[in-house]
Amino acid sequence: MAPPKRPPMADRFRNLAAEALGTGLLVATVVGSGIMAQRLTGDIALALWANTAATGAILVVLIGLFGPISGAHFNPAVTLVMALKRQLSAADAGFYIVAQICGAMLGTLLAHLMFDLPLVSAYADPRNGASQWLSEVAATFGLVLVILVSLRHSSEQIALRVGLYIAAAYWFTASTSYANPAVTIGRALTSSFAGIGPADVPGFILAQIAGALLALALATWLLRDPSERSA
């Protein structure tokens, strides 16, 4: 298989800007809606529902906006999978991931500024252990599987499907479905409702990468051409 073509420099900068901006707006929404929900209600279930609705909605918007520009990964796990599928060069994948992480961190800072909070604060409650890590494997596995199958059969529905999947995964996983290493890093800068302790970030990221790789393996088998399956 021929190596993926590298885009011209101007296009590469546009792609990276789209990835940074999209990831930043995603994290600003996740963190900001969590802060707003926390201020408006003491009901944790209602706060989680508000956080869920905002996150699912912004994903539909952002993927629809930036998908035609950069592919709207906003997620190093997705970028890794696309690089392994040779749809993105290793160098471009690295630049994507840096842009996503920088965007995620700036998104948290923006949310804190909008709500008049310190720029950075540390989350105290632990988010670790087998149930949390398994939740992140499952959440990221499902997300990447939705993306890969949708890209093959109904790419025009991918924004809606990703938004709906993440909204559902907020509620069926014990971790509330971070499913994204860049978002996880960005959320480590806040002590608000959407936060995670810095010490818990590595475990989440490893679980997310494992889930993404499992989804890639399954999707490769599921989407194989019938002639290859029979062979």
Side-chain angles (χ1 to χ4, degrees):
M1 183 183 295
K5 294 181 179 180
R6 300 185 70 179
M9 188 62 69
D11 288 344
R12 186 176 302 149
F13 284 137
R14 277 192 288 269
N15 291 347
L16 297 178
E19 286 297 305
L21 181 58
T23 312
L25 290 172
L26 171 60
V27 173
T29 301
V30 172
V31 174
S33 64
I35 295 168
M36 178 66 84
Q38 205 170 25
R39 289 184 175 182
L40 293 178
T41 179
D43 186 328
I44 296 176
L46 183 58
L48 183 60
W49 167 242
N51 197 213
T52 301
T55 303
I58 199 65
L59 277 168
V60 174
V61 173
L62 293 175
I63 294 170
L65 281 177
F66 295 116
I69 301 171
S70 67
H73 297 185
F74 312 144
N75 187 334
V78 173
T79 298
L80 172 64
V81 166
M82 295 305 169
L84 292 173
K85 287 173 62 65
R86 300 180 69 81
Q87 296 182 8
L88 201 64
S89 72
D92 286 333
F95 287 130
Y96 264 49
I97 290 170
V98 170
Q100 291 157 0
I101 292 172
C102 291
M105 296 172 71
L106 289 172
T108 296
L109 301 184
L110 174 62
H112 283 183
L113 285 171
M114 289 191 293
F115 286 93
D116 199 23
L117 294 173
L119 280 180
V120 176
S121 55
Y123 190 81
D125 295 335
R127 287 184 183 268
N128 54 40
S131 64
Q132 295 287 309
W133 299 328
L134 179 59
S135 293
E136 284 303 297
V137 171
T140 314
F141 171 85
L143 172 62
V144 173
L145 190 64
V146 166
I147 291 169
L148 294 177
V149 175
S150 296
L151 283 173
R152 172 67 70 88
H153 294 301
S154 49
S155 59
E156 72 284 352
Q157 297 183 23
I158 192 167
L160 180 61
R161 288 180 178 182
V162 168
L164 289 173
Y165 173 80
I166 289 296
Y170 256 79
W171 289 87
F172 77 74
T173 61
S175 63
T176 65
S177 181
Y178 284 46
N180 184 327
V183 169
T184 303
I185 292 170
R187 292 170 68 169
L189 302 180
T190 184
S191 60
S192 66
F193 182 81
I196 181 173
D200 297 327
V201 168
F204 266 48
I205 290 177
L206 289 174
Q208 291 157 1
I209 292 171
L213 295 177
L214 287 171
L216 173 60
L218 179 60
T220 300
W221 177 72
L222 286 175
L223 300 174
R224 191 175 298 165
D225 290 335
S227 59
E228 296 177 354
R229 288 200 298 266
S230 60

Short mmCIF file of all heavy atoms in Angstrom, two decimals, residues 6-60:
data_model
loop_
_atom_site.label_atom_id
_atom_site.label_comp_id
_atom_site.label_asym_id
_atom_site.label_seq_id
_atom_site.Cartn_x
_atom_site.Cartn_y
_atom_site.Cartn_z
N ARG A 6 1.05 13.60 1.87
CA ARG A 6 1.07 14.69 2.82
C ARG A 6 0.46 15.93 2.18
O ARG A 6 0.78 16.26 1.03
CB ARG A 6 2.50 14.98 3.27
CG ARG A 6 3.15 13.77 3.95
CD ARG A 6 4.51 14.11 4.49
NE ARG A 6 4.39 15.01 5.63
CZ ARG A 6 5.44 15.45 6.30
NH1 ARG A 6 6.66 15.10 5.94
NH2 ARG A 6 5.28 16.27 7.34
N PRO A 7 -0.42 16.63 2.89
CA PRO A 7 -1.07 17.80 2.29
C PRO A 7 -0.10 18.95 2.14
O PRO A 7 0.93 19.00 2.83
CB PRO A 7 -2.16 18.14 3.32
CG PRO A 7 -1.63 17.61 4.61
CD PRO A 7 -0.87 16.36 4.26
N PRO A 8 -0.39 19.91 1.23
CA PRO A 8 0.46 21.11 1.12
C PRO A 8 0.50 21.84 2.46
O PRO A 8 -0.39 21.70 3.30
CB PRO A 8 -0.26 21.94 0.05
CG PRO A 8 -1.10 20.97 -0.70
CD PRO A 8 -1.49 19.91 0.27
N MET A 9 1.55 22.66 2.64
CA MET A 9 1.78 23.32 3.93
C MET A 9 0.58 24.16 4.37
O MET A 9 0.17 24.12 5.53
CB MET A 9 3.03 24.20 3.85
CG MET A 9 3.47 24.77 5.18
SD MET A 9 3.92 23.48 6.37
CE MET A 9 5.43 22.85 5.63
N ALA A 10 -0.03 24.90 3.44
CA ALA A 10 -1.17 25.75 3.81
C ALA A 10 -2.34 24.90 4.29
O ALA A 10 -3.01 25.23 5.27
CB ALA A 10 -1.58 26.62 2.63
N ASP A 11 -2.58 23.79 3.60
CA ASP A 11 -3.66 22.90 4.01
C ASP A 11 -3.36 22.27 5.37
O ASP A 11 -4.27 22.08 6.19
CB ASP A 11 -3.87 21.80 2.97
CG ASP A 11 -4.49 22.33 1.69
OD1 ASP A 11 -5.03 23.46 1.72
OD2 ASP A 11 -4.44 21.62 0.67
N ARG A 12 -2.09 21.96 5.60
CA ARG A 12 -1.72 21.35 6.88
C ARG A 12 -2.00 22.33 8.03
O ARG A 12 -2.53 21.94 9.07
CB ARG A 12 -0.25 20.95 6.86
CG ARG A 12 0.18 20.18 8.10
CD ARG A 12 1.62 19.71 7.97
NE ARG A 12 1.78 18.89 6.80
CZ ARG A 12 2.91 18.84 6.09
NH1 ARG A 12 3.94 19.59 6.44
NH2 ARG A 12 3.00 18.04 5.06
N PHE A 13 -1.66 23.57 7.85
CA PHE A 13 -1.93 24.56 8.89
C PHE A 13 -3.43 24.71 9.13
O PHE A 13 -3.88 24.86 10.27
CB PHE A 13 -1.31 25.91 8.53
CG PHE A 13 0.18 25.98 8.72
CD1 PHE A 13 0.99 26.57 7.77
CD2 PHE A 13 0.77 25.44 9.86
CE1 PHE A 13 2.37 26.62 7.95
CE2 PHE A 13 2.15 25.49 10.05
CZ PHE A 13 2.95 26.09 9.09
N ARG A 14 -4.22 24.69 8.06
CA ARG A 14 -5.68 24.77 8.22
C ARG A 14 -6.20 23.56 8.99
O ARG A 14 -7.07 23.68 9.86
CB ARG A 14 -6.36 24.88 6.86
CG ARG A 14 -6.40 26.29 6.29
CD ARG A 14 -7.33 26.38 5.10
NE ARG A 14 -6.75 25.73 3.94
CZ ARG A 14 -5.99 26.34 3.03
NH1 ARG A 14 -5.71 27.62 3.17
NH2 ARG A 14 -5.50 25.68 2.00
N ASN A 15 -5.68 22.38 8.65
CA ASN A 15 -6.09 21.16 9.36
C ASN A 15 -5.78 21.25 10.84
O ASN A 15 -6.61 20.92 11.70
CB ASN A 15 -5.39 19.95 8.76
CG ASN A 15 -5.85 19.61 7.35
OD1 ASN A 15 -6.85 20.13 6.88
ND2 ASN A 15 -5.09 18.77 6.68
N LEU A 16 -4.57 21.69 11.15
CA LEU A 16 -4.17 21.79 12.56
C LEU A 16 -4.97 22.84 13.30
O LEU A 16 -5.35 22.64 14.47
CB LEU A 16 -2.67 22.10 12.65
CG LEU A 16 -1.74 21.03 12.08
CD1 LEU A 16 -0.29 21.47 12.18
CD2 LEU A 16 -1.94 19.69 12.79
N ALA A 17 -5.26 23.97 12.64
CA ALA A 17 -6.08 25.00 13.26
C ALA A 17 -7.48 24.46 13.55
O ALA A 17 -8.06 24.71 14.63
CB ALA A 17 -6.17 26.23 12.37
N ALA A 18 -8.04 23.69 12.60
CA ALA A 18 -9.37 23.12 12.80
C ALA A 18 -9.37 22.12 13.95
O ALA A 18 -10.31 22.09 14.76
CB ALA A 18 -9.84 22.44 11.51
N GLU A 19 -8.31 21.31 14.05
CA GLU A 19 -8.24 20.34 15.14
C GLU A 19 -8.09 21.02 16.49
O GLU A 19 -8.74 20.64 17.47
CB GLU A 19 -7.08 19.38 14.89
CG GLU A 19 -7.33 18.36 13.81
CD GLU A 19 -8.47 17.42 14.13
OE1 GLU A 19 -8.44 16.78 15.20
OE2 GLU A 19 -9.42 17.35 13.31
N ALA A 20 -7.24 22.03 16.55
CA ALA A 20 -7.05 22.75 17.82
C ALA A 20 -8.32 23.49 18.22
O ALA A 20 -8.76 23.43 19.39
CB ALA A 20 -5.89 23.73 17.71
N LEU A 21 -8.92 24.18 17.27
CA LEU A 21 -10.14 24.95 17.57
C LEU A 21 -11.28 24.04 17.96
O LEU A 21 -12.00 24.29 18.94
CB LEU A 21 -10.51 25.80 16.36
CG LEU A 21 -11.76 26.69 16.50
CD1 LEU A 21 -11.60 27.65 17.67
CD2 LEU A 21 -12.00 27.46 15.19
N GLY A 22 -11.48 22.97 17.19
CA GLY A 22 -12.57 22.05 17.49
C GLY A 22 -12.40 21.39 18.85
O GLY A 22 -13.36 21.30 19.63
N THR A 23 -11.19 20.92 19.15
CA THR A 23 -10.96 20.28 20.45
C THR A 23 -11.12 21.29 21.58
O THR A 23 -11.67 20.97 22.64
CB THR A 23 -9.57 19.64 20.50
OG1 THR A 23 -9.34 18.86 19.32
CG2 THR A 23 -9.42 18.75 21.71
N GLY A 24 -10.65 22.51 21.35
CA GLY A 24 -10.79 23.54 22.37
C GLY A 24 -12.24 23.86 22.67
O GLY A 24 -12.64 23.97 23.84
N LEU A 25 -13.05 24.02 21.63
CA LEU A 25 -14.47 24.30 21.84
C LEU A 25 -15.19 23.13 22.49
O LEU A 25 -16.10 23.31 23.32
CB LEU A 25 -15.13 24.65 20.50
CG LEU A 25 -14.71 26.00 19.90
CD1 LEU A 25 -15.27 26.15 18.49
CD2 LEU A 25 -15.18 27.15 20.78
N LEU A 26 -14.78 21.91 22.13
CA LEU A 26 -15.36 20.73 22.77
C LEU A 26 -15.08 20.74 24.27
O LEU A 26 -15.99 20.56 25.09
CB LEU A 26 -14.80 19.47 22.12
CG LEU A 26 -15.13 18.14 22.81
CD1 LEU A 26 -16.64 17.91 22.88
CD2 LEU A 26 -14.44 16.98 22.09
N VAL A 27 -13.82 20.95 24.65
CA VAL A 27 -13.48 20.92 26.07
C VAL A 27 -14.08 22.11 26.81
O VAL A 27 -14.54 21.97 27.95
CB VAL A 27 -11.95 20.87 26.25
CG1 VAL A 27 -11.57 21.00 27.72
CG2 VAL A 27 -11.40 19.57 25.68
N ALA A 28 -14.11 23.28 26.18
CA ALA A 28 -14.76 24.43 26.81
C ALA A 28 -16.23 24.13 27.10
O ALA A 28 -16.76 24.53 28.15
CB ALA A 28 -14.64 25.66 25.92
N THR A 29 -16.87 23.41 26.20
CA THR A 29 -18.27 23.03 26.41
C THR A 29 -18.41 22.02 27.53
O THR A 29 -19.29 22.15 28.40
CB THR A 29 -18.86 22.45 25.12
OG1 THR A 29 -18.76 23.43 24.08
CG2 THR A 29 -20.31 22.06 25.30
N VAL A 30 -17.55 21.00 27.54
CA VAL A 30 -17.62 19.98 28.59
C VAL A 30 -17.39 20.61 29.96
O VAL A 30 -18.17 20.39 30.90
CB VAL A 30 -16.58 18.87 28.32
CG1 VAL A 30 -16.52 17.90 29.51
CG2 VAL A 30 -16.91 18.11 27.05
N VAL A 31 -16.33 21.38 30.08
CA VAL A 31 -15.99 21.97 31.38
C VAL A 31 -16.97 23.09 31.74
O VAL A 31 -17.47 23.15 32.87
CB VAL A 31 -14.54 22.50 31.36
CG1 VAL A 31 -14.22 23.24 32.66
CG2 VAL A 31 -13.55 21.35 31.16
N GLY A 32 -17.26 23.96 30.79
CA GLY A 32 -18.16 25.07 31.07
C GLY A 32 -19.56 24.64 31.44
O GLY A 32 -20.16 25.17 32.39
N SER A 33 -20.10 23.66 30.72
CA SER A 33 -21.46 23.20 31.06
C SER A 33 -21.46 22.50 32.41
O SER A 33 -22.46 22.56 33.14
CB SER A 33 -21.99 22.26 29.97
OG SER A 33 -21.21 21.08 29.87
N GLY A 34 -20.35 21.83 32.75
CA GLY A 34 -20.27 21.22 34.08
C GLY A 34 -20.27 22.26 35.18
O GLY A 34 -20.92 22.08 36.21
N ILE A 35 -19.53 23.35 34.97
CA ILE A 35 -19.50 24.42 35.97
C ILE A 35 -20.88 25.07 36.10
O ILE A 35 -21.38 25.30 37.21
CB ILE A 35 -18.45 25.48 35.59
CG1 ILE A 35 -17.05 24.87 35.63
CG2 ILE A 35 -18.54 26.69 36.51
CD1 ILE A 35 -15.98 25.75 35.00
N MET A 36 -21.51 25.35 34.95
CA MET A 36 -22.84 25.96 34.98
C MET A 36 -23.84 25.06 35.69
O MET A 36 -24.63 25.52 36.55
CB MET A 36 -23.30 26.24 33.55
CG MET A 36 -24.71 26.83 33.45
SD MET A 36 -24.82 28.49 34.17
CE MET A 36 -24.26 29.46 32.75
N ALA A 37 -23.81 23.77 35.37
CA ALA A 37 -24.75 22.84 35.99
C ALA A 37 -24.51 22.76 37.50
O ALA A 37 -25.46 22.74 38.29
CB ALA A 37 -24.59 21.45 35.36
N GLN A 38 -23.25 22.75 37.89
CA GLN A 38 -22.91 22.69 39.31
C GLN A 38 -23.41 23.92 40.07
O GLN A 38 -23.82 23.82 41.23
CB GLN A 38 -21.39 22.55 39.44
CG GLN A 38 -20.90 21.91 40.71
CD GLN A 38 -19.42 21.60 40.63
OE1 GLN A 38 -18.66 22.24 39.90
NE2 GLN A 38 -18.98 20.62 41.40
N ARG A 39 -23.39 25.06 39.41
CA ARG A 39 -23.83 26.30 40.06
C ARG A 39 -25.36 26.39 40.14
O ARG A 39 -25.89 27.01 41.05
CB ARG A 39 -23.29 27.51 39.31
CG ARG A 39 -21.79 27.70 39.47
CD ARG A 39 -21.29 28.97 38.81
NE ARG A 39 -19.87 29.20 39.06
CZ ARG A 39 -19.19 30.25 38.63
NH1 ARG A 39 -19.82 31.19 37.91
NH2 ARG A 39 -17.92 30.39 38.89
N LEU A 40 -26.03 25.78 39.18
CA LEU A 40 -27.48 25.93 39.11
C LEU A 40 -28.25 24.89 39.91
O LEU A 40 -29.41 25.12 40.26
CB LEU A 40 -27.94 25.89 37.65
CG LEU A 40 -27.50 27.06 36.77
CD1 LEU A 40 -27.99 26.86 35.34
CD2 LEU A 40 -28.05 28.38 37.31
N THR A 41 -27.63 23.73 40.16
CA THR A 41 -28.37 22.69 40.86
C THR A 41 -27.43 21.87 41.73
O THR A 41 -26.26 21.68 41.41
CB THR A 41 -29.07 21.74 39.85
OG1 THR A 41 -29.75 20.71 40.58
CG2 THR A 41 -28.07 21.09 38.90
N GLY A 42 -27.97 21.39 42.83
CA GLY A 42 -27.24 20.46 43.69
C GLY A 42 -27.54 19.02 43.37
O GLY A 42 -27.02 18.11 44.01
N ASP A 43 -28.40 18.79 42.37
CA ASP A 43 -28.79 17.45 41.96
C ASP A 43 -27.73 16.92 40.98
O ASP A 43 -27.62 17.41 39.85
CB ASP A 43 -30.16 17.51 41.29
CG ASP A 43 -30.72 16.14 40.96
OD1 ASP A 43 -29.91 15.24 40.65
OD2 ASP A 43 -31.95 15.98 40.95
N ILE A 44 -26.96 15.92 41.39
CA ILE A 44 -25.87 15.42 40.56
C ILE A 44 -26.40 14.80 39.27
O ILE A 44 -25.80 14.98 38.19
CB ILE A 44 -25.02 14.40 41.34
CG1 ILE A 44 -24.35 15.08 42.53
CG2 ILE A 44 -23.97 13.76 40.43
CD1 ILE A 44 -23.56 14.14 43.41
N ALA A 45 -27.51 14.10 39.34
CA ALA A 45 -28.07 13.48 38.13
C ALA A 45 -28.49 14.55 37.13
O ALA A 45 -28.25 14.42 35.91
CB ALA A 45 -29.26 12.60 38.48
N LEU A 46 -29.11 15.62 37.61
CA LEU A 46 -29.53 16.70 36.72
C LEU A 46 -28.30 17.42 36.14
O LEU A 46 -28.29 17.77 34.95
CB LEU A 46 -30.40 17.70 37.50
CG LEU A 46 -30.98 18.87 36.69
CD1 LEU A 46 -31.82 18.36 35.52
CD2 LEU A 46 -31.80 19.78 37.60
N ALA A 47 -27.28 17.60 36.96
CA ALA A 47 -26.05 18.23 36.47
C ALA A 47 -25.40 17.38 35.38
O ALA A 47 -24.93 17.90 34.36
CB ALA A 47 -25.08 18.45 37.62
N LEU A 48 -25.39 16.06 35.59
CA LEU A 48 -24.81 15.17 34.57
C LEU A 48 -25.64 15.20 33.29
O LEU A 48 -25.08 15.17 32.19
CB LEU A 48 -24.71 13.74 35.11
CG LEU A 48 -24.06 12.72 34.17
CD1 LEU A 48 -22.63 13.13 33.83
CD2 LEU A 48 -24.09 11.33 34.78
N TRP A 49 -26.95 15.28 33.43
CA TRP A 49 -27.79 15.36 32.23
C TRP A 49 -27.49 16.64 31.46
O TRP A 49 -27.40 16.62 30.22
CB TRP A 49 -29.26 15.31 32.62
CG TRP A 49 -30.18 15.70 31.50
CD1 TRP A 49 -31.04 16.75 31.47
CD2 TRP A 49 -30.31 15.05 30.23
NE1 TRP A 49 -31.69 16.80 30.27
CE2 TRP A 49 -31.27 15.78 29.48
CE3 TRP A 49 -29.72 13.94 29.65
CZ2 TRP A 49 -31.64 15.43 28.19
CZ3 TRP A 49 -30.08 13.58 28.36
CH2 TRP A 49 -31.03 14.32 27.65
N ALA A 50 -27.34 17.76 32.16
CA ALA A 50 -27.02 19.02 31.48
C ALA A 50 -25.67 18.93 30.77
O ALA A 50 -25.51 19.37 29.63
CB ALA A 50 -27.01 20.17 32.50
N ASN A 51 -24.69 18.34 31.44
CA ASN A 51 -23.36 18.15 30.86
C ASN A 51 -23.43 17.24 29.64
O ASN A 51 -22.79 17.49 28.61
CB ASN A 51 -22.46 17.55 31.94
CG ASN A 51 -20.98 17.67 31.64
OD1 ASN A 51 -20.21 16.79 32.02
ND2 ASN A 51 -20.54 18.73 31.00
N THR A 52 -24.24 16.20 29.73
CA THR A 52 -24.42 15.27 28.61
C THR A 52 -25.02 15.96 27.40
O THR A 52 -24.53 15.81 26.27
CB THR A 52 -25.36 14.13 29.04
OG1 THR A 52 -24.82 13.44 30.16
CG2 THR A 52 -25.58 13.14 27.91
N ALA A 53 -26.09 16.70 27.61
CA ALA A 53 -26.80 17.35 26.50
C ALA A 53 -25.90 18.35 25.79
O ALA A 53 -25.86 18.40 24.55
CB ALA A 53 -28.06 18.04 27.02
N ALA A 54 -25.16 19.14 26.56
CA ALA A 54 -24.26 20.13 25.96
C ALA A 54 -23.16 19.45 25.15
O ALA A 54 -22.82 19.88 24.04
CB ALA A 54 -23.66 21.02 27.04
N THR A 55 -22.59 18.38 25.70
CA THR A 55 -21.49 17.69 25.02
C THR A 55 -21.96 17.03 23.73
O THR A 55 -21.31 17.15 22.68
CB THR A 55 -20.86 16.65 25.96
OG1 THR A 55 -20.41 17.30 27.15
CG2 THR A 55 -19.68 15.96 25.28
N GLY A 56 -23.07 16.31 23.80
CA GLY A 56 -23.59 15.66 22.60
C GLY A 56 -23.93 16.66 21.51
O GLY A 56 -23.62 16.46 20.33
N ALA A 57 -24.53 17.78 21.91
CA ALA A 57 -24.93 18.80 20.93
C ALA A 57 -23.72 19.43 20.27
O ALA A 57 -23.68 19.60 19.04
CB ALA A 57 -25.78 19.86 21.61
N ILE A 58 -22.70 19.79 21.05
CA ILE A 58 -21.54 20.47 20.46
C ILE A 58 -20.76 19.52 19.56
O ILE A 58 -20.17 19.95 18.55
CB ILE A 58 -20.63 21.08 21.55
CG1 ILE A 58 -19.71 22.16 20.94
CG2 ILE A 58 -19.79 20.02 22.21
CD1 ILE A 58 -20.42 23.36 20.40
N LEU A 59 -20.75 18.23 19.86
CA LEU A 59 -20.07 17.28 18.99
C LEU A 59 -20.73 17.24 17.60
O LEU A 59 -20.03 17.22 16.58
CB LEU A 59 -20.09 15.88 19.61
CG LEU A 59 -18.98 15.61 20.63
CD1 LEU A 59 -19.26 14.32 21.38
CD2 LEU A 59 -17.62 15.54 19.94
N VAL A 60 -22.05 17.24 17.57
CA VAL A 60 -22.74 17.24 16.27
C VAL A 60 -22.36 18.49 15.48
O VAL A 60 -22.06 18.42 14.28
CB VAL A 60 -24.27 17.17 16.48
CG1 VAL A 60 -24.99 17.32 15.14
CG2 VAL A 60 -24.65 15.86 17.14
#
